[in-house]
Amino acid sequence: VQLVESGGGSVQAGGSLRLSCSVSGYPYSRYCLAWFRQAPGKEREAAASIDGDGETKYADSVKGRFTVSQDNAKNTLYLQMDSLQPEDTAMYYCAVDQLRLAVCRTDWYLVQRFGYWGQGTQVTVS
């Protein structure tokens, strides 16, 4: 499984960015996928997930501002980020469930639930 993120950059507070994650190596569309982020000096934390049926879950810190989606035809996962704030500054990673489950687990927000990771894309909000 290979994951490649793109779309990061620098933006002013209140602005928007859309991250993309290209997934290859297996038919991901039926599995739990997620976005995590990691700020300097902090632990990696979950932002959002989407499962094979399209059900989404969000961390409280991004709920109402971020939207996760996927395009099965393009094998691509997205994260639309609106109303960005300086505290959203971090490296953003996409990930695939370690067991390739079709439904994201109730504790989907745990890093150890995901076994495949991209290299990350940097988001800086000033």
Side-chain angles (χ1 to χ4, degrees):
V1 178
Q2 293 83 42
L3 301 97
V4 180
E5 302 95 336
S6 61
S10 297
V11 63
Q12 292 187 338
S16 298
L17 283 174
R18 188 176 81 155
L19 306 183
S20 299
C21 173
S22 176
V23 183
S24 61
Y26 86 110
Y28 86 102
S29 63
R30 296 184 60 80
Y31 302 104
C32 175
L33 306 168
W35 287 98
F36 282 74
R37 63 185 185 181
Q38 187 168 18
K42 295 187 177 182
E43 294 185 352
R44 192 168 297 188
E45 64 175 12
S49 68
I50 185 167
D51 66 18
D53 292 329
E55 182 176 346
T56 58
K57 299 178 182 178
Y58 296 93
D60 288 343
S61 58
V62 307
K63 196 173 297 182
R65 300 187 299 122
F66 290 10
T67 303
V68 61
S69 63
Q70 58 185 346
D71 185 330
N72 294 341
K74 296 182 179 180
N75 282 8
T76 302
L77 177 71
Y78 300 101
L79 185 66
Q80 176 67 41
M81 305 185 297
D82 298 318
S83 302
L84 284 163
Q85 300 301 317
E87 52 266 34
D88 295 316
T89 295
M91 185 73 79
Y92 283 72
Y93 301 88
C94 59
V96 174
D97 182 274
Q98 185 177 35
L99 301 179
R100 302 185 186 178
L101 299 177
V103 177
C104 293
R105 286 172 271 191
T106 54
D107 57 358
W108 66 272
Y109 47 85
L110 297 178
V111 172
Q112 57 262 43
R113 293 292 176 252
F114 294 84
Y116 306 90
W117 296 85
Q119 292 301 307
T121 184
Q122 178 67 39
V123 172
T124 302
V125 185
S126 60

